[in-house]
Amino acid sequence: MAGETDLKKLLATMTPELRPGIHVFATLPPDAPVSDSLEPVMLFREREGTTVIALEEEAEAAGLEIVFRCRMVTLNIHSSLEAVGFLAAITTRLAAAGMGVNPVSAFYHDHLFVPADRAEEAVEMLVELAEESQR
């Protein structure tokens, strides 16, 4: 189960799915424990602190300072962790529309965290990109 590496196939067959809820980015000090009330989508530990991506209501309940309100778009294709250019093509398309994106790659799928107020627009652009790649 290594995942797809062919860029054209990845782009042509991806199905972007807008996930429910508002997610947020927050940070904890380096040695701080993660609250039991949180079920983060992602934790990433850096020297400066731990990045947390979680649902907004969970982050607020845990008293975290919210930095970025966003929606999660899952790209429903099993992309290889060694695929070349997939996220570059996607982020370039969104950047051309002036949209910031925070991509996260997991074992099975890539996920995009896009501004909450532009999430539907992001999905529309990704559907268009997939359709163009099918030609």
Side-chain angles (χ1 to χ4, degrees), residues 9-113:
K9 187 172 182 181
L10 284 166
L11 292 170
T13 60
M14 72 167 167
T15 306
E17 175 188 357
L18 185 58
R19 303 302 299 264
I22 301 291
H23 286 79
V24 296
F25 280 64
T27 188
L28 296 168
D31 296 325
V34 177
S35 169
D36 289 339
S37 66
L38 273 177
E39 291 187 34
V41 173
M42 188 200 82
L43 291 174
F44 196 93
R45 298 186 195 287
E46 299 177 278
R47 285 186 301 268
E48 299 84 357
T50 300
T51 299
V52 177
I53 304 175
L55 287 169
E56 184 174 43
E57 57 270 13
E58 290 179 12
E60 287 175 343
L64 297 179
E65 182 180 338
I66 293 168
V67 177
F68 178 58
R69 293 182 80 244
C70 53
R71 297 282 308 272
M72 183 169 82
V73 178
T74 296
L75 303 176
N76 286 317
I77 183 161
H78 183 184
S79 56
S80 169
L81 291 168
E82 296 179 5
V84 176
F86 184 45
L87 287 177
I90 288 166
T91 58
T92 297
R93 176 64 63 101
L94 297 177
M99 186 182 305
V101 58
N102 290 283
V104 173
S105 296
F107 188 84
Y108 293 102
H109 305 289
D110 294 291
H111 308 273
L112 310 174
F113 292 89

